[in-house]
Amino acid sequence: MKGNYKFLLLALLIAFASCSFTSKTFNDPDKDKLLIQLVTYVLDQGHFNPQELNDDFSANVFEDYLSQLDPFKRYFYASDIEEFEAYKNQIDDQLKAYDVSFFNLTHQRLLQRIEESKNIYSDILETPFDFSKDESYTSDYENLSYVKNKREMKERWRQQLKFSTIANYDDAIAQRDLNIGSNGLPESVFSADDEKPKGKQKKTLKEIEAEARMDTKQSLDDLYDFIDDRQRKDWFAVYVNAIVEEFDPHTFYFAPEDKDRFDVAMSGNFEGIGARLQKKRDAIIVNEIISGGPAWRADELEVGDQILKVKQEEEEEGVSIVGMRLDDAIKFIKGPKGTKVTLTLKKVDGTIEDISITRDIVELEETYAKSSIVEKEGKTFGIINLPKFYINFEDYNKRNAASDIKQEIIRLKDQGMEGLVLDLRNNGGGSLQTVVDIVGLFIEEGPVVQVKTTGEPKEVLSDKDKSIVWDGPLVIMVNELSASASEILAAAMQDYKRAIVIGSKQTYGKGTVQNVLDLNRMVRNNSNGDMGALKFTTQKFYRINGGSTQLEGVKSDVVVPDRYSYINIGEKDQENPLPWDKIDAVDYEYWENYFDYDTTIEKSKARMAANEQLKLIDANAQWVKKIRDRETYSLNYNDYKKEMELNEEEAKRFEKLSQYQTDLTFKSLPYELSLIEKDSVLREKRNRWHKSLAKDVYIEEALNVLNDLKMTYSIKTNVANVKN
């Protein structure tokens, strides 16, 4: 870890979270009102750009909240909306008075309409659909009007259900036509009047239509099982988030279970048995055993097992979790490291069995940095993939992204690495603290990022440790989904001319910093239970050259097309983003180890312009956008089928994308090979990753750039030696 920076920053974060707000405490017996008090106070006092609670704010909350409750406009009637509109300009006043009347009204009405919709969809799906009728369906839900009566509501549901069913119907016909008759010919060559081949009988269109409807019904039944499990507090969290998201896209209220999931996502680990669960109707089913976890080591729990009861070690009887909400069931199963839990299982084969598992720390391997080695033209290069900038907020000395990256670099150097690719594609960010430490692995010392808090002087976060872990050629890979901390790292490396950035035209464009505040710390004598936590924007960060990454992101040195090129997924496409601005630059010096940085970039651009695979990727991205932008579909099967066949025909020209193969071979490092010998799951994950790297045209070009950098680096080193 670099100097005392981590301790200073952590102390500042803790002080901010515990002192700025705890001078005021709250104690309201009504949990809903208490939560509104807490959230509105924290945002007013602590948000980077606090909003005025006025009629405009109220109207925006009104629209966003209702669109979240009923996005397909198949629950509420126009009369409901008319009744709700009495509150359209009053939500701000209700917030100031901690009044939740608007939520109560909408929540009660929503539950009523959901119950009514169960009968609607069940009745509709009892009657066969006529796919010979000429009618169409629109998915432009935003511009749909609310229905006026029950007849219109039933028609809206009918169209949506018919659209769902026609897709199932088409899939079933295609599957039937793949079946082979006893004479060796596909059954599809027989007309309805032909003698059917002996053996398995071909399903009739009537039978297929009935099964397609039942598939649609089953999907809705599963959805409504999930909806029925939602409690009032879950719906209230939706309302609270409709309020806080008016401040900016990254301010978010975490209900207690959501906060637990956020902590796991940020740290990459949790305490429990190491199994992922899902709910199917009333059953809690195991759908994945996490490699290396307690359940995996015990080797008694299997995918597909149903958990019937959970018994803690101090209890005599287990608690039945059949029919329980999934989140509540998970609370019983998870627990502190070293404690024992006994599960009563209905095994896949139908037998009932009790097993005991001692809980432990479960690490989510897919969260963590991983590395690979590859040889190209006689040179050895390293790849490090970093999915996110993870950290344990309670103890920075535990596993985190910076310490892992450092360790992987050292391991790669031991294998003779001559150049490094750091892959930040799809990395949505994470801890600001780890970014500064990671940048410090590649530079001697200097500023990394500037941070600005409203009404306060800017703060410059710097690497003060003169040691460098890797001083050789470096390429940073990004795309449109590289955000926040990824952008800080890429921007710093670009500003120092320390690395070449390859990727999309620009990264995501999130130039803001959030803190997470445990709301329970502000409550005196809390008898309301867990209040959850609030993530809110407290700062904006800026590059060391003074520019902001907000909205604009980091522009790649070498731009390559990808599947997101024409899709609006960046910060600028979100609601209520903070604006772009600029501050003064700080003093810093370019990295001078490379002989000809600009020529390397020009060579790469020339290769990219001539690369047929990338041209095909660009054409595919344009086609994907056309498909995504489509909003009207035929519900006449013949027309629907023609449209699907046309899409399939167009898609055929992009089949070569998946067939692309380089001549590169990627390998795990020695330490990981020893782990793979004992862990078949890890072996399979690494095999899949290495195969994907070998088919990755972007990785191929990143290695070409490293090769060019290595050559110019060697030239400069040789020149320096001659001069000396």
Side-chain angles (χ1 to χ4, degrees):
M1 209 48 55
K2 301 273 179 180
N4 293 321
Y5 166 74
K6 66 178 187 298
F7 302 111
L8 173 61
L9 183 58
L10 190 58
L12 288 172
L13 290 176
I14 292 173
F16 180 80
S18 61
C19 298
S20 298
F21 300 119
T22 51
S23 59
K24 181 176 176 66
T25 56
F26 301 82
N27 187 20
D28 193 308
D30 186 310
K31 186 173 183 178
D32 292 344
K33 291 184 178 181
L34 177 59
L35 183 56
I36 293 294
Q37 290 180 52
L38 292 169
V39 166
T40 53
Y41 177 78
V42 170
L43 293 179
D44 181 64
Q45 297 295 308
H47 194 275
F48 182 84
N49 186 32
Q51 300 292 301
E52 182 181 352
L53 302 187
N54 54 25
D55 286 354
D56 288 339
F57 181 91
S58 179
N60 290 334
V61 172
F62 179 86
E63 298 292 345
D64 292 343
Y65 173 55
L66 292 182
S67 68
Q68 290 181 49
L69 290 185
D70 189 11
F72 304 129
K73 296 181 179 174
R74 62 185 187 187
Y75 294 137
F76 293 133
Y77 291 84
S79 58
D80 294 326
I81 302 303
E82 185 178 352
E83 184 179 354
F84 297 160
E85 282 184 337
Y87 294 86
K88 187 170 184 176
N89 295 324
Q90 294 183 17
I91 296 174
D92 56 322
D93 301 312
Q94 290 197 351
L95 291 175
K96 294 171 185 175
Y98 317 129
D99 183 350
V100 292
S101 299
F102 174 61
F103 168 76
N104 288 335
L105 172 63
T106 55
H107 177 244
Q108 291 164 6
R109 188 65 49 80
L110 177 66
L111 296 185
Q112 176 189 339
R113 298 308 187 203
I114 287 174
E115 282 301 311
E116 293 170 358
S117 70
K118 292 178 183 179
N119 293 326
I120 294 174
Y121 84 74
S122 296
D123 289 345
I124 292 171
L125 291 172
E126 287 295 319
T127 305
F129 289 118
D130 182 359
F131 292 127
S132 66
K133 289 181 63 176
D134 288 328
E135 57 179 332
S136 61
Y137 167 76
T138 178
S139 61
D140 183 12
Y141 308 117
E142 188 174 338
N143 290 316
L144 281 179
S145 58
Y146 287 95
V147 300
K148 297 177 182 178
N149 51 51
K150 291 183 179 180
R151 179 184 57 79
E152 289 183 4
M153 179 64 80
K154 188 171 183 178
E155 175 61 14
R156 171 142 315 160
W157 269 97
R158 187 194 67 81
Q159 285 199 353
Q160 293 186 6
L161 294 174
K162 189 172 183 180
F163 178 65
S164 298
T165 303
I166 200 171
N168 296 336
Y169 181 74
D170 184 50
D171 289 342
I173 290 176
Q175 185 61 44
R176 180 197 67 175
D177 291 349
L178 287 175
N179 293 334
I180 304 299
S182 59
N183 60 357
L185 294 174
E187 291 188 320
S188 57
V189 303
F190 294 90
S191 70
D193 297 328
D194 289 332
E195 181 183 350
K196 294 179 182 178
K198 294 178 181 180
K200 186 176 180 181
Q201 297 297 301
K202 184 171 71 170
K203 291 178 181 177
T204 66
L205 294 181
K206 183 177 180 180
E207 290 171 331
I208 289 175
E209 188 278 336
E211 290 183 5
R213 269 186 294 116
M214 289 307 99
D215 287 343
T216 300
K217 186 176 186 303
Q218 185 61 65
S219 296
L220 277 167
D221 288 344
D222 291 342
L223 171 63
Y224 274 72
D225 283 344
F226 170 76
I227 291 174
D228 288 343
D229 271 350
R230 301 194 79 177
Q231 299 176 350
R232 186 182 188 281
K233 63 180 181 180
D234 300 313
W235 294 111
F236 193 65
V238 174
Y239 177 58
V240 173
N241 273 313
I243 295 165
V244 304
E245 287 169 4
E246 290 303 319
F247 285 72
D248 77 291
H250 308 290
T251 293
F252 190 85
Y253 167 68
F254 291 108
E257 293 87 355
D258 295 327
K259 176 58 166 58
D260 291 342
R261 283 189 280 268
F262 174 77
D263 289 341
V264 170
M266 285 301 301
S267 66
N269 64 64
F270 63 92
E271 295 183 353
I273 66 170
R276 288 192 172 100
L277 309 176
Q278 66 180 132
K279 186 174 181 181
K280 290 185 177 179
R281 298 178 185 83
D282 284 341
I284 305 296
I285 306 292
V286 177
N287 70 343
E288 184 183 349
I289 306 296
I290 297 172
S291 179
W296 178 85
R297 294 195 299 268
D299 199 23
E300 293 182 283
L301 195 64
E302 297 177 280
V303 172
D305 286 349
Q306 178 186 349
I307 303 176
L308 304 176
K309 292 183 179 181
V310 181
K311 183 170 77 73
Q312 313 303 330
E313 56 186 342
E314 70 278 3
E315 296 176 344
E316 293 185 6
E317 291 293 328
V319 175
S320 173
I321 62 171
V322 176
M324 189 178 287
R325 296 173 72 239
L326 181 59
D327 285 340
D328 292 336
I330 290 172
K331 289 178 183 177
F332 282 103
I333 297 169
K334 290 174 68 173
K337 173 183 177 181
T339 60
K340 186 176 291 185
V341 63
T342 299
L343 307 178
T344 299
L345 306 174
K346 182 178 181 180
K347 302 291 288 182
V348 177
D349 62 8
T351 59
I352 306 297
E353 179 182 333
D354 284 354
I355 67 169
S356 294
I357 300 175
T358 301
R359 300 176 177 108
D360 202 346
I361 299 294
V362 180
E363 294 191 333
L364 303 177
E365 182 272 333
E366 62 268 26
T367 300
Y368 298 133
K370 57 181 180 285
S371 66
S372 180
I373 204 84
V374 61
E375 288 191 10
K376 181 177 175 61
E377 298 180 14
K379 302 179 186 66
T380 300
F381 297 122
I383 312 285
I384 297 179
N385 175 267
L386 183 64
K388 64 177 59 180
F389 291 79
Y390 47 91
I391 186 176
N392 187 310
F393 284 118
E394 295 180 359
D395 186 354
Y396 189 80
N397 291 316
K398 289 186 177 179
R399 188 170 189 179
N400 64 77
S403 59
D404 280 1
I405 291 289
K406 179 178 180 179
Q407 186 177 47
E408 293 303 320
I409 292 173
I410 292 171
R411 288 166 170 166
L412 288 165
K413 287 169 66 176
D414 289 342
Q415 299 304 305
M417 177 176 69
E418 299 174 69
L420 174 63
V421 175
L422 182 56
D423 188 354
L424 301 180
R425 291 176 295 178
N426 303 322
N427 184 321
S431 163
L432 175 64
Q433 188 174 342
T434 59
V435 180
V436 177
D437 290 332
I438 291 174
V439 170
L441 304 175
F442 303 113
I443 64 172
E444 186 173 350
E445 62 179 343
V448 173
V449 62
Q450 304 186 78
V451 181
K452 187 80 170 63
T453 304
T454 300
E456 297 182 13
K458 72 178 182 182
E459 180 184 6
V460 180
L461 306 181
S462 301
D463 168 53
K464 299 179 180 179
D465 187 337
K466 292 189 176 183
S467 65
I468 302 175
V469 178
W470 176 246
D471 63 355
L474 178 63
V475 167
I476 306 288
M477 299 184 70
V478 297
N479 65 5
E480 290 90 340
L481 296 179
S482 302
S484 193
S486 296
E487 295 173 292
I488 295 175
L489 177 54
M493 295 292 91
Q494 190 177 62
D495 289 344
Y496 274 110
K497 286 188 174 288
R498 174 64 185 90
I500 290 178
V501 178
I502 294 179
S504 54
K505 184 177 180 181
Q506 70 164 72
T507 52
Y508 188 85
K510 178 182 177 291
T512 58
V513 182
Q514 287 73 40
N515 279 339
V516 179
L517 176 66
D518 182 352
L519 296 176
N520 297 292
R521 302 177 68 171
M522 300 178 61
V523 182
R524 179 185 294 128
N525 302 322
N526 184 15
S527 59
N528 284 305
D530 196 334
M531 300 301 297
L534 183 67
K535 175 167 70 78
F536 57 107
T537 299
T538 57
Q539 299 168 311
K540 289 178 74 174
F541 62 78
Y542 300 82
R543 301 172 67 136
I544 54 178
N545 68 10
S548 172
T549 61
Q550 179 66 11
L551 304 184
E552 292 194 357
V554 176
K555 294 177 172 56
S556 297
D557 298 312
V558 179
V559 176
V560 291
D562 62 25
R563 58 182 174 172
Y564 305 119
S565 295
Y566 301 97
I567 299 174
N568 298 328
I569 57 173
E571 178 86 356
K572 61 183 181 299
D573 304 304
Q574 307 304 308
E575 291 188 10
N576 312 312
L578 296 186
W580 179 90
D581 61 342
K582 188 175 182 179
I583 62 175
D584 293 336
V586 292
D587 293 332
Y588 65 97
E589 296 181 1
Y590 290 149
W591 178 264
E592 295 183 348
N593 277 23
Y594 299 134
F595 184 70
D596 201 339
Y597 181 89
D598 294 331
T599 298
T600 299
I601 292 175
E602 291 307 313
K603 283 183 178 180
S604 180
K605 287 181 177 179
R607 281 192 298 267
M608 294 293 93
N611 190 297
E612 293 300 323
Q613 176 76 351
L614 290 175
K615 292 178 182 178
L616 192 60
I617 288 173
D618 186 65
N620 180 245
Q622 295 183 51
W623 178 71
V624 168
K625 177 171 174 56
K626 184 181 77 170
I627 297 297
R628 284 173 59 96
D629 288 348
R630 183 179 174 186
E631 294 176 338
T632 303
Y633 302 85
S634 175
L635 295 178
N636 174 287
Y637 182 66
N638 288 333
D639 292 340
Y640 178 89
K641 185 64 176 175
K642 288 176 184 176
E643 292 167 356
M644 293 302 103
E645 288 174 345
L646 182 61
N647 286 343
E648 290 172 8
E649 193 62 33
E650 283 191 83
K652 286 181 180 178
R653 66 188 178 110
F654 302 119
E655 289 178 353
K656 290 182 180 179
L657 289 175
S658 61
Q659 298 168 4
Y660 188 78
Q661 185 71 42
T662 69
D663 59 356
L664 301 169
T665 302
F666 296 83
K667 300 177 182 177
S668 290
L669 301 184
Y671 87 95
E672 195 170 69
L673 290 174
S674 62
L675 297 175
I676 285 173
E677 288 180 5
K678 307 171 187 175
D679 189 341
S680 60
V681 176
L682 180 61
R683 182 191 305 119
E684 178 60 26
K685 287 181 178 179
R686 288 299 178 266
N687 285 341
R688 286 201 301 265
W689 183 46
H690 293 157
K691 286 179 181 177
S692 69
L693 290 176
K695 296 166 70 70
D696 192 331
V697 65
Y698 309 110
I699 288 287
E700 182 182 38
E701 179 54 25
L703 294 173
N704 286 332
V705 170
L706 277 185
N707 194 39
D708 292 341
L709 286 175
K710 174 62 180 171
M711 295 301 294
T712 58
Y713 182 82
S714 299
I715 291 171
K716 178 159 187 177
T717 301
N718 292 336
V719 169
N721 289 336
V722 169
K723 288 182 178 179
N724 290 333

